[in-house]
Amino acid sequence: MSSHVRHITIDCSDAYGLGAFWAQVLDAPLSDEDSPGDPEALVEAHGAAILFVRVEDPKQTKNRVHLDIQPQDRSRDEEVERLLALGATLVGDHRRPNGRGWVTLADPEGNEFCVECSAAERAALTGTRLPVTADDVTSAVRLAVDALAGAPADRWDTPAGSLTWTCWETVEHLSDDLFAYAAQLGPRTPPLDHDVPYRWAPDREGGPHNAVFADRTAGTAGLLATLEASGALLASMARTTPPGVRSYHGYGISDPEGFAAMGVVETLVHTYDLAEGLGLEWSPSPALCDRVLARLFPDAPAGGDRWTVLLWATGRAELPGHPRRTSWRWDGRPLEDQTASSAG
């Protein structure tokens, strides 16, 4: 048995007022149950809720525990300026040009907290590779589901692009891939020489070998619900599995980031296949394409449109100056293992 952190609790003089400040900092709502003057106020922040509790004693010394925050849609410097405008005060500036370091601020009651660069900003400043994350899996799957939700109802039994599977079967295959990658990370001791032994079989001769099938009577909404559910499973496993864990894949023993990247690639390119069959537009984020290329296709050309390069790497498009791929595979091994293999 284990315990879980329910809240991060901060003592203060004005629980609702300080909670309102932090709600703006974190772009998170205050609980509907809280009102001005209440002795408690809860900010329902992503990841960990923050509970502010009114106490009589004023703050007297530096906090022994503090929050570190990372802006996700702006730079560290822009975030510092925003927070100062909200009412924070500057305590110390420890920024470094390479993205390391932090700025220490204090909230309106003097509680210190620090602002750091996001992983994306730090990677841009240092020229390092930005990892593929569980959030990338969630983003890719949700974008795919939103795009596919607009498909005509009478097109789901047509072939998915150049595949021999129907569009319905291709979504089932994609759901199955995401589920299988999550399952590989599930056992306490993940296998290094085989898949977790679910039974995979086709629903018809020539169809994909799946363990996951959608109930046809649930319609397109049910089909897409299975896709989103499988994506959520993979995102959860990628987020919670320690990075040192390794598990089997036919294209190389991989780690949680590798399985997340595989899930993203499967989602992006199979949605491309589906968009062709369903008559939809589909063009994912170049930055996301770049991250999965760097993780799984380290030999892919560095320049050019990253979505086109990913389509070329997976045998789906021409790329000027490079022969079209008639067969392909990614390298799922962690990059340090790929480097060691190349050096050896």
Side-chain angles (χ1 to χ4, degrees):
M1 299 294 291
S2 62
S3 296
H4 298 272
V5 174
R6 183 181 179 191
H7 304 132
I8 298 170
T9 301
I10 298 176
D11 293 344
C12 58
S13 299
D14 179 1
Y16 191 86
L18 195 58
F21 167 82
W22 278 97
Q24 293 182 81
V25 171
L26 301 173
D27 191 23
L30 275 167
S31 171
D32 293 338
E33 298 179 0
D34 297 323
S35 302
D38 284 355
E40 299 178 355
L42 180 67
V43 176
E44 298 171 328
H46 174 73
I50 305 176
L51 179 65
F52 296 90
V53 178
R54 185 173 65 207
V55 298
E56 299 301 324
D57 299 329
K59 181 178 183 293
Q60 297 183 9
T61 187
K62 183 181 182 300
N63 295 38
R64 295 296 298 270
V65 177
H66 68 269
L67 303 180
D68 290 339
I69 65 173
Q70 286 184 318
Q72 299 303 302
D73 57 356
R74 59 181 67 91
S75 71
R76 173 185 58 190
D77 295 350
E78 291 170 336
E79 181 69 346
V80 168
E81 294 304 315
R82 184 181 79 90
L83 299 181
L84 290 172
L86 289 177
T89 55
L90 179 65
V91 176
D93 193 335
H94 308 283
R95 284 175 278 198
R96 300 178 188 173
N98 65 356
R100 298 187 67 83
W102 60 90
V103 178
T104 303
L105 302 178
D107 69 18
E109 292 203 14
N111 299 298
E112 297 88 0
F113 64 99
C114 294
V115 185
E116 301 178 348
C117 284
S118 66
E121 184 181 8
R122 185 174 295 176
L125 290 169
T126 59
T128 55
R129 182 184 72 88
L130 188 63
V132 182
T133 67
D135 288 340
D136 289 330
V137 176
T138 300
S139 175
V141 172
R142 288 180 178 176
L143 288 171
V145 168
D146 290 346
L148 297 172
D154 60 353
R155 298 287 293 271
W156 285 97
D157 287 322
T158 60
S162 61
L163 303 180
T164 59
W165 303 327
T166 68
C167 291
W168 183 281
E169 290 173 332
T170 301
V171 174
E172 289 182 324
H173 165 76
L174 175 55
S175 298
D176 189 79
D177 281 339
L178 300 174
F179 165 80
Y181 297 154
Q184 285 302 115
L185 296 170
R188 283 178 290 178
T189 304
L192 298 178
D193 58 357
H194 61 275
D195 293 318
V196 175
Y198 289 92
R199 185 176 69 87
W200 277 274
D203 207 27
R204 66 166 180 87
E205 186 175 352
H209 285 64
N210 294 351
V212 172
F213 294 94
D215 181 355
R216 192 78 191 227
T217 63
T220 303
L223 175 68
L224 298 181
T226 68
L227 175 56
E228 195 159 12
S230 291
L233 290 174
L234 177 57
S236 295
M237 292 308 301
R239 180 174 289 109
T240 58
T241 304
V245 169
R246 299 290 184 268
S247 188
Y248 174 81
H249 186 275
Y251 291 174
I253 291 172
S254 198
D255 59 353
E257 186 202 355
F259 283 106
M262 295 177 210
V264 171
V265 170
E266 296 276 12
T267 301
L268 299 186
V269 300
H270 280 316
T271 304
Y272 170 83
D273 300 329
L274 288 158
E276 284 197 320
L278 296 169
L280 302 173
E281 296 293 328
W282 174 247
S283 182
S285 158
L288 180 56
C289 296
D290 189 59
R291 291 198 289 280
V292 294
L293 281 165
R295 178 60 179 82
L296 296 177
F297 301 93
D299 59 342
D305 177 74
R306 305 316 286 159
W307 175 223
T308 302
V309 174
L310 181 58
L311 290 175
W312 169 82
T314 56
R316 287 168 167 80
E318 304 280 353
L319 189 65
H322 300 273
R324 179 155 185 162
R325 290 188 164 181
T326 56
S327 63
W328 62 274
R329 60 184 290 167
W330 57 54
D331 191 337
R333 296 173 298 165
L335 291 181
E336 59 267 26
D337 294 349
Q338 297 177 25
T339 302
S341 176
S342 300

